[in-house]
Amino acid sequence: MQVSIDQDRCCSSGQCVVTAPDVFEQDDRDGLVRIRLAVLPHVRHADVRLASELCPGGAITVAEETPDRDGDDAGSATA
């Protein structure tokens, strides 16, 4: 799962922070959302999806990773 934030769409409602406080935070200066974790643990995926759905500004985008034809995770490095 990859999560991205469009801060131009963020309306600082804080729904994401309430839903997944270990994943999202609001900047103290402008109230805009930031992602706290570089790698999201699998157990947090459902909360991140919910936060994306609840975001009134539509600022959170979730992209699910799909296995490629070889059965490896998308985006994995190959030699």
Side-chain angles (χ1 to χ4, degrees):
M1 168 183 282
Q2 292 186 344
V3 178
S4 60
I5 302 294
D6 181 346
Q7 290 190 332
D8 291 334
R9 296 187 71 173
C10 180
C11 62
S12 304
S13 74
Q15 292 299 311
C16 55
V17 176
V18 171
T19 304
D22 56 331
V23 177
F24 301 103
E25 65 184 0
Q26 284 181 282
D27 189 292
D28 290 335
R29 294 168 290 160
D30 56 17
L32 298 178
V33 65
R34 294 189 307 194
I35 299 173
R36 298 180 66 181
L37 301 175
V39 177
L40 296 173
H42 186 13
V43 296
R44 305 305 293 153
H45 288 193
D47 290 337
V48 171
R49 285 187 201 98
L50 179 59
S52 176
E53 292 172 18
L54 294 174
C55 179
I60 302 170
T61 301
V62 175
E64 302 290 341
E65 295 180 15
T66 57
D68 65 15
R69 287 180 277 161
D70 295 330
D72 294 331
D73 287 338
S76 62
T78 57

